[in-house]
Amino acid sequence: MEQYIIKGGNPLVGEVEIGGAKNAALAILAAAIMTDETVFIDNLPDVNDINVLLDAIAGIGASVHRVDRHAVKINGKGVSDFNIEYDYMKKIRASYYLLGALLGKYKRAEVALPGGCNIGSRPIDQHLKGFRALGADVEIEHGKIIAEADRLVGKHIYFDVVSVGATINVMMAAAMAEGLTILENVAKEPHVVDVANFLNSMGANIRGAGTDVIKIRGVHRLHRTEYSVIPDQIEAGTFMFAAAATRGDVTVCNVIPKHLEATIAKLLEIGCEVEEFDDAVRVVSKGRLTSTHVKTLPYPGFPTDMQPQIGVTLALCEGTSMVTESIFENRFKYLDELARMGANVKIEGNSATIEGVKGFSGARVSAPDLRAGAALCIAGLAADGITIVDDIVYIQRGYERFEEKLKSLGGIIERVQSEKDIRKFTLKVS
Ligand code: EPZ
């Protein structure tokens, strides 16, 4: 099992290039099978989740041609199997986007029902509500969602909770339904807009993505396109908080600063200097930072995917911070690990009270999930001494060349897989 070993104490300094948004790319790749023509997609992050989804897409008969690490050509003409197995769903929940894509194009899909996961129970009732409203017969049998329709017909659908996944999944199916679909109380995340833009570039007629109401006039067919995925706001934010926590000076390049507003606001509140450019943001952290409160909310609120990164940073800020997680119930596991590094935290329900400490001391910790894993690496980079992060397979699901990018900023971090590697690293840095 691979681990990261980190020698903390070096401020991160320099420029880092941000890749394409994983969560936009996952939905876009699924939507690519909705045409019989070839679709070219660029600026994909080269991370495990993307590779698993590409395997699932090839597995149902689509042709998948990897042009290079960040680009792929997909042709959905050969799709002959409408069944996505549990193995894929277990590895990557976003395989459920194939439900909306297959149902939209072929009016039929069978996809293993995703279970809960490390960050919470994660129901998909709103996805199913949307498909049913469009006229699909949706049953759950033997652990599978089986969705079928003679025809899908546009409807007025009100989502009971704001869900990124349900918004995108139902939007995909409605793109090829008959007539007008109106989706209300939808998610406004930048990746929802990106998927709508992608579908429109294939000939779909989707308006309003990025607002509370999306209107979709169904079309009979979609066609070829060439598309570049938007930059990953969460990868960018992760490096911005890494700069803050290590008292560094980092410029994240190839970003859309507008997507980073909530992150920038919190960095300013705790006392960082932030400079915005057209497609870059510089974060400078000098001296001791001060506490603040944060509550995760759907976009444009503070993202749940950035909660562990800000939590780690606040644990080093002077004063008492309150972090409230309102999206997923199980996203505080990293705080127990952080306490082992000296953080002073108390969790009650969906809130954590964090009393800032002067510093962390390196320890062996475990990544409970993707974002929490990245946050623990930030803690290790800010800590005194050596930190070992276990279960980094979670981090590799969503961060491309994570340790290489941190190293390019002066972080001392290696990916290791044996006690021998750990001894070698320890000798080298001591
Ligand atoms: C997406 O998950 C992201 N994943 C998550 O990123 C992210 O944390 C989340 O949105 C919130 O921003 C992908 O895009 C692949 P939701 P998703 O549906 O779509 C409840 C990461 O680290 N809900 O917006 O599954 C749900 O329980 C990952 O990259 C229902 O009740 O999230 C949650 O409380 C982790 N019924 C809230 O809505 C439903 O049918 C928001 O979930 C659907 C959701």
Side-chain angles (χ1 to χ4, degrees):
M1 285 299 231
E2 289 189 321
Q3 300 155 309
Y4 283 136
I5 182 160
I6 300 163
K7 162 98 164 54
N10 268 13
L12 296 187
V13 177
E15 289 186 2
V16 62
E17 198 72 27
I18 300 306
K22 169 186 77 92
N23 290 342
L26 289 167
I28 286 172
L29 290 173
I33 64 151
M34 295 178 74
T35 169
D36 290 342
E37 299 180 13
T38 299
V39 167
F40 174 83
I41 303 162
D42 197 5
N43 203 34
L44 288 172
D46 184 14
V47 295
N48 289 354
D49 274 14
I50 296 292
N51 297 327
V52 173
L53 186 65
L54 286 173
D55 284 349
I57 289 172
I60 55 172
S63 105
V64 174
H65 169 61
R66 245 1 235 259
V67 180
D68 61 40
R69 280 178 67 181
H70 299 120
V72 70
K73 280 186 184 169
I74 295 179
N75 186 307
K77 198 172 171 183
V79 170
S80 53
D81 184 355
F82 308 108
N83 188 359
I84 308 298
E85 295 293 344
Y86 183 57
D87 263 2
Y88 289 116
M89 191 54 77
K90 218 168 49 178
K91 285 190 194 143
I92 163 198
R93 288 178 63 84
S95 315
Y96 64 35
Y97 284 135
L98 288 166
L99 193 55
L102 287 169
L103 186 63
K105 168 108 198 282
Y106 297 98
K107 313 292 175 262
R108 195 175 151 201
E110 284 185 24
V111 175
L113 187 70
C117 83
N118 289 12
I119 60 175
S121 67
R122 305 185 76 178
I124 60 158
D125 55 302
Q126 298 302 305
H127 303 230
L128 306 189
K129 170 179 168 169
F131 297 143
R132 286 189 177 116
L134 294 175
D137 182 19
V138 183
E139 300 293 338
I140 297 185
E141 279 172 22
H142 308 294
K144 271 188 190 170
I145 307 158
I146 302 171
E148 277 177 300
D150 291 334
R151 44 199 284 249
L152 295 177
V153 181
K155 258 282 170 57
H156 198 138
I157 301 168
Y158 182 88
F159 289 113
D160 303 316
V161 289
V162 177
S163 158
V164 173
T167 303
I168 292 177
N169 230 342
V170 179
M171 181 170 81
M172 288 199 284
M176 295 188 84
E178 294 166 30
L180 180 68
T181 298
I182 300 177
L183 303 180
E184 291 214 54
N185 196 27
V186 293
K188 295 180 276 200
E189 268 69 2
H191 38 296
V192 173
V193 180
D194 209 32
V195 181
N197 287 342
F198 171 71
L199 284 164
N200 284 342
S201 78
M202 291 167 84
N205 184 349
I206 302 173
R207 301 285 169 259
T211 73
D212 293 313
V213 183
I214 298 181
K215 294 187 180 164
I216 304 152
R217 196 161 282 282
V219 296
H220 288 300
R221 60 179 287 277
L222 297 171
H223 55 68
R224 74 184 62 215
T225 186
E226 292 190 3
Y227 197 82
S228 192
V229 176
I230 51 164
D232 196 314
Q233 91 209 61
I234 306 299
E235 185 194 17
T238 302
F239 283 100
M240 289 160 77
F241 278 111
T246 62
R247 318 266 157 85
D249 178 348
V250 172
T251 303
V252 288
C253 304
N254 181 36
V255 298
I256 299 173
K258 169 91 185 131
H259 295 170
L260 293 163
E261 272 174 353
T263 299
I264 291 172
K266 287 295 155 190
L267 287 164
L268 289 170
E269 268 174 44
I270 63 175
C272 290
E273 288 169 25
V274 181
E275 217 179 329
E276 286 183 44
F277 305 93
D278 286 348
D279 62 354
V281 177
R282 179 180 177 200
V283 178
V284 185
S285 163
K286 287 187 206 140
R288 186 105 197 259
L289 302 173
T290 51
S291 60
T292 193
H293 304 313
V294 63
K295 180 174 183 179
T296 63
L297 287 168
Y299 188 85
F302 191 86
T304 174
D305 288 348
M306 207 83 84
Q307 187 261 104
Q309 300 89 317
I310 193 172
V312 161
T313 309
L314 293 175
L316 292 170
C317 289
E318 193 158 357
T320 306
S321 301
M322 179 81 88
V323 178
T324 306
E325 172 57 59
S326 73
I327 312 285
F328 292 115
E329 69 270 21
N330 220 354
R331 261 198 149 163
F332 280 142
K333 282 193 214 155
Y334 74 96
L335 286 176
D336 294 327
E337 301 295 299
L338 203 60
R340 305 186 57 249
M341 298 176 71
N344 188 352
V345 296
K346 192 167 156 217
I347 303 164
E348 266 174 303
N350 70 340
S351 289
T353 308
I354 301 179
E355 192 76 50
V357 293
K358 285 227 163 68
F360 298 143
S361 59
R364 186 162 180 162
V365 292
S366 241
D369 64 71
L370 165 61
R371 308 301 173 188
L376 289 170
C377 291
I378 297 177
L381 290 162
D384 185 29
I386 288 188
T387 294
I388 295 175
V389 181
D390 286 329
D391 296 332
I392 63 167
V393 63
Y394 287 116
I395 303 172
Q396 291 160 346
R397 288 180 59 168
Y399 289 91
E400 179 174 338
R401 298 185 298 109
F402 191 50
E403 72 280 8
E404 283 174 44
K405 290 187 183 185
L406 289 169
K407 268 193 215 173
S408 76
L409 298 171
I412 304 177
I413 174 168
E414 291 287 347
R415 190 152 36 125
V416 293
Q417 37 188 342
S418 65
E419 287 301 320
K420 194 170 145 213
D421 291 343
I422 293 176
R423 276 199 301 278
K424 220 162 93 188
F425 176 90
T426 316
L427 272 175
K428 198 167 88 186
V429 299
S430 58

